[in-house]
Amino acid sequence: MAADTLIASSQIEEVFGSHVFNKAVQKERLSRATYKKLQHIAENGGRLTEEIANEVAEAMKEWALEHGATYYAHWFQPLNGITSEKHNSFLHPLPDGRAIARFSGKELIQGETDGSSFPNGGLRATFEARGYTIWDPASPAFIRNGVLCIPTAMMSYTQETLDKRVPMLRSQVALAKQAKRLLGYFGREPKTITVNIGPEQEYFIITEKDFAQRPDLINCGRTLFGRRPVKGQQLSEHYYGTIRPAVDRFMKDANKRLWELGIPVITKHNEVAPCQHELAPQYEPASIAIDHNLLTMTEIKEVAGKHGLTCLLHEKPFNFVNGSGKHSNWSLSADGKNLLDPSDTPEDNLLFLVILTCVISAVDKHQDLLRASIASAGNDQRLGADEAPPAIISMFLGDDLFEIVEAIIEGRKYKSHGKELLDAGVPTLADAVLGTTDRNRTSPFAFTGNKFEFRMPGSQENLSGCNMVLNTAVAEGFDLCATAIENKLQKAESVRGKLSARDKKRAVSKFAFAWVKRTLKAHRRILFNGNGYSAAWEKEAKARGLLNLKTTADALPYLIKPQNILFFNKYKVMDEAEVTARYVATAQQYAFNLDIEASCMVYMARHFYLPAIQRFSADLAMAVKTKKELRATSAAEVAILKKTAHALDVISAATDSLDAANKKAGAIKNPQTQDNAYKNKVLPAMAALREEVDAMEECVGREYWPFPSYNRMLHYVKASPDKIQIVKIGRDSSY
């Protein structure tokens, strides 16, 4: 790797955000009036005049050209969960053969794309193809690979959303409206309500050479075959261990790219599984954080390739070791003040208790939608084991907060433990503050001091969906609380007359606390501090009435329950057509992914595994025959020969069964019926075929086996400072 891709410590501040048309650049290049108007629209909404749009577009173009960008693109988030862009040149030919660079306000604000070729859940037919991309001024434009990328929304010709950005932004509008309404009863009138998230991104890094030799990784992002590695994560030596030099160089290069794009990555480390890593950014406003996370996934994959490596973002690329998640750390602030900060005495902080109760009720009432929002074929492989939370949604508050909640429900006094010093028993060690709560890695939704960590999203997830659900659910909680206080106040004033400011404040406190107590009691079932993996919890959760939606096929139908369609419609986040479209699109994605995986398994079995076992069996049969003539036959060889001969029949039959099940499921038209067929028929057939093939990997000679093994892929060896190589053993490099 060239030395100039690294950043000297003195250059960090200069590099950060250098490829972003951020507020600092806007302030420098726009007139004062235009800058103020643009910031007002970004924060509060409103319409841009043609004059302002043209000035912004001209400044954006000049800045982009100075940074070597010759194209621009409306960058958007279609329903497939990734990002898309169509590049248009600034070049404008003139009649005399010359050309000029031109970019108008109209081109900045609106673009046109194909609304039927992307997943759309039936909103667009092929003959109804028109879709529009619309500039989002709240998310700054940036330059990537010589292209000015402009974050945009995507809408259909019939004005329905075709992307993941718009519903998420609408949910923030709903949340802000209800939060301001509720806070008003506590004497606060904030100008801005901001949802902040910090997405922790997990991923695997393997060599590009190994990746290129595995059709399953190329086509599916995960290994469909592979026996348990000799060494997995049982020694716990990879977690927070020394980062391989080759991977460290990749990380440093990736950091430079991410910092240039204004992505505030502040943490990187090895994760639990071999070859698994994690990076985490500083908290940002949700829509920007989601844009940055989508960019992060794109960048780390691209940068890895330049280092002879491949980045795997699938939730479960390897069996037998941890999968990868994307923890969404969610908090809410009013004019920059965190509403989830409990203070030193949370039991006396009524507003915090109100906000906490709203979140608790939101998660309990809408556990179905939260589960559906993170449902995918890949995430189904991850949930429920290896430090991933189970499919049952519950909330972890920690001992202190949980005891406060219990005291409120039971009507007794409670005093918080407060902060204590951690005593290690070694005088020379510095004092450390002991937190008021432990961490629960099996909890899907955990309070971690001043925020909630939603641990269920998978590593490939676009976080717009789950945050859209959470924002809307909490907005409903705020709405219900504010309405309860409002009704109580109206009733009190109808009896006693208009209340003084002092009496009104006391009344609000009384009514709010009564609502907190009543609501906590109604939703206590969602609170659980114990082991989410235990069989006892599964049984207890069922008794509590909590849902256990283990697969995507189980979870998705809840999206289109009548009460959930009404819920989204009430807060103007999505109408019935938009909700239904997302259900259909996600159901189709689930079926498509499993169809690809099943087809890949059939291909690998017929074209590689069966021929490999046949060659091994034939060579072994010849050896047995020769030794028999010499009266030196080995009983072990005969046993292995019989085992492989039998396996050929079993694997061939299992391959045919999977092929038939997949074709039958693929022909089904109804999305739910099709998803159920993949869950109940195709997945078991895939598991059966894998079990038989993996069993053969243990007895077929290494030189016959067609693909790199887990042992090799998870434990590759560094050979030189600038290139990753594999130690060769025998005729083949797998071992």
Side-chain angles (χ1 to χ4, degrees), residues 264-284:
V265 176
I266 57 173
T267 301
K268 62 178 182 177
H269 60 82
N270 286 352
E271 255 299 333
V272 175
C275 294
Q276 189 184 32
H277 311 278
E278 180 181 305
L279 60 81
Q282 183 62 272
Y283 292 85
E284 299 181 282

Side-chain angles (χ1 to χ4, degrees), residues 31-51:
S31 67
R32 183 177 180 183
T34 296
Y35 173 77
K36 290 180 67 176
K37 179 65 175 177
L38 185 62
Q39 299 314 310
H40 178 80
I41 291 172
E43 294 174 6
N44 305 294
R47 294 190 178 278
L48 280 172
T49 64
E50 182 178 351
E51 181 182 1

Side-chain angles (χ1 to χ4, degrees), residues 594-605:
L594 291 181
D595 168 56
I596 293 169
E597 289 187 356
S599 298
C600 188
M601 289 190 83
V602 169
Y603 167 75
M604 292 175 72

Side-chain angles (χ1 to χ4, degrees), residues 306-572:
K306 295 181 178 181
H307 289 257
L309 303 169
T310 294
C311 174
L312 303 177
L313 289 169
H314 194 282
E315 288 80 7
K316 196 73 172 178
F318 302 100
N319 281 13
F320 315 112
V321 296
N322 280 15
S324 293
K326 176 153 38 197
H327 306 161
S328 180
N329 293 279
W330 183 93
S331 64
L332 189 67
S333 63
D335 288 342
K337 183 175 177 59
N338 187 359
L339 295 174
L340 286 174
D341 185 354
S343 74
D344 292 337
T345 56
E347 69 275 17
D348 297 325
N349 188 341
L350 179 57
L351 180 57
F352 167 75
L353 293 174
V354 167
I355 303 295
L356 176 69
T357 302
C358 289
V359 178
I360 290 171
S361 66
V363 174
D364 185 33
K365 288 183 67 175
H366 298 290
Q367 53 184 285
D368 55 347
L369 289 174
L370 284 170
R371 172 65 182 93
S373 73
I374 53 85
S376 69
N379 213 17
D380 286 352
Q381 296 285 333
R382 162 184 168 262
L383 293 176
D386 298 318
E387 297 191 10
I392 303 169
I393 291 184
S394 63
M395 296 180 69
F396 171 82
L397 297 183
D399 294 339
D400 203 22
L401 270 187
F402 184 75
E403 289 179 32
I404 292 172
V405 167
E406 291 285 275
I408 292 172
I409 292 173
E410 296 170 9
R412 54 182 171 81
K413 289 286 186 179
Y414 175 79
K415 184 168 180 60
S416 172
H417 299 154
K419 295 180 179 179
E420 302 176 27
L421 291 180
L422 180 62
D423 184 5
V426 181
T428 55
L429 292 181
D431 291 339
V433 177
L434 188 65
T436 59
T437 177
D438 201 349
R439 297 183 67 192
N440 187 335
R441 299 185 71 83
T442 71
S443 177
F445 204 93
F447 187 75
T448 55
N450 61 0
K451 65 186 185 305
F452 279 99
E453 182 181 27
F454 189 31
R455 304 187 72 251
M456 294 186 79
S459 49
Q460 300 179 98
E461 188 81 32
N462 180 326
L463 291 176
S464 294
C466 62
N467 280 284
M468 176 267 293
V469 170
L470 181 58
N471 292 342
T472 312
V474 175
E476 181 188 55
F478 290 168
D479 182 10
L480 293 173
C481 183
T483 299
I485 294 172
E486 180 182 339
N487 290 340
K488 288 288 187 180
L489 283 174
Q490 288 177 352
K491 187 175 181 179
E493 291 187 330
S494 69
V495 175
R496 299 163 52 188
K498 186 172 179 62
L499 299 175
S500 67
R502 182 178 179 182
D503 287 343
K504 185 175 181 180
K505 183 177 180 181
R506 287 177 175 176
V508 167
S509 296
K510 177 184 175 182
F511 299 150
F513 189 79
W515 182 86
V516 165
K517 180 176 180 179
R518 183 171 64 252
T519 305
L520 287 176
K521 186 175 182 180
H523 297 287
R524 186 194 178 283
R525 65 175 184 171
I526 201 72
L527 304 178
F528 177 66
N529 283 359
N531 181 7
Y533 293 162
S534 70
W537 166 236
E538 188 167 334
K539 185 177 179 180
E540 181 184 339
K542 183 177 181 181
R544 291 188 184 190
L546 300 179
L547 296 171
N548 187 3
L549 307 174
K550 294 187 176 182
T551 72
T552 297
D554 299 324
L556 287 184
Y558 284 86
L559 276 175
I560 50 174
K561 293 284 186 182
Q563 65 269 26
N564 287 333
I565 291 175
L566 289 173
F567 162 69
F568 285 123
N569 195 47
K570 177 181 179 181
Y571 294 99
K572 296 181 172 54

Side-chain angles (χ1 to χ4, degrees), residues 1-7 256:
M1 183 185 66
D4 61 2
T5 61
L6 298 180
I7 303 176
K256 178 177 182 292

